Amino acid sequence: MDRFPDNDIISLVSSAPRHDLAESVGPNLWLGELLGSNLAEIGALQLGYGTAAGGAQLRTQIAARHGVDADDVVVTVGGMHALFLLAFTLCGPGDEAVIAEPAFPLARNTLGAVGATVRSLPLNFDAGYRIDLEALRALLSSKTRIVSLASPQNPSGVAIPASTLRKVAELMRTHAPDAWLIVDETYREAAYGDHSTLPSASALGPRVVTVASLSKCHGAAGLRIGWAIVRDAALRQALITAKFNTVISCSPLDEALAATVLKQGEHIVGTRRRHLAHNLGTLEAWVGRHAARIEWVRPDAGALCCVRLKPQVYDDAALQRFQAALHERSVRLAPGPWFGDQPRVFRLGFGLATNAELAAALHCVGQALEWAAA
């Protein structure tokens, strides 16, 4: 009954407050934006089963964005499905899995749900959520089957440098030779403005698997299309078999719409990058105005970051007053404990709102900060 532990992050898929700064997505796509001249093509689609691996057209488009072969791609029901299938396929009771935390809680939960012993690699605010390679080395063993990382990370938006990922892979080859490195790249394409897109980790070696989806960078979370890029043929076939035994296939309609999203990908992602850059500038200015009370870790990509209430300003009682003040103003931030972080840390999502809406929401948060510290 309790294989998947409860977490209040589930509230993000229920009713939203007036000012929702807990979300980690950019603006949602509208179906009408996609269809246009493609309406007849979509209308001619037969609603039968799809393939277990995913449609060839969609896999080819995904592969082209990562510099891999279409056969390396397994299409899944969102990125979370890929993470679950990997945990289910690679881990069992007696195995160990290492995950960097704070993390998206479902990524950790799926490792525990399959019976693995989960070992946490702590990342912390004061160190800018950077990986300590020595701490990782101490966690690796012959029992390790998965090392689960995200780049950029959720909740911080901090990217793991390519040089660090290479060192992680080297450590694993030496100290955990039977382990697989899984890198969740869901936010990789959500750069700011004209900033370069982060390189994919998929080229690091055959025991590296990357996972992503259309949810965060493309504004198409409702399509529930994600993927895993798997260079190892045996693991890839095992994932396809596991997918068939859990969902048979993805929806052909979702896959067709996903292919349309990727056809328009440069426009869709480019528009969102400009929006994120504008909103990030507004957020950065707001953080500067409240620097006496809060601090942040500036994100590398994505529509999210971590903000911390300064402990010397906010004791436990003041923290509770701040949370109450947010509720009174119909503002939601994502509490750090959702992700395994400190109570004074909050994930602040700045991508979903328009710039004017973000400014209004941050004004309310500023009021709550001032009132709670008084």
Side-chain angles (χ1 to χ4, degrees), residues 333-370:
L333 295 173
W338 283 5
F339 311 95
D341 211 336
Q342 307 163 14
R344 286 173 182 77
V345 174
F346 293 85
R347 187 184 75 180
L348 193 155
F350 56 87
L352 184 61
T354 66
N355 191 258
E357 291 168 344
L358 176 65
L362 292 174
H363 176 71
C364 290
V365 178
Q367 289 179 325
L369 287 168
E370 293 172 8

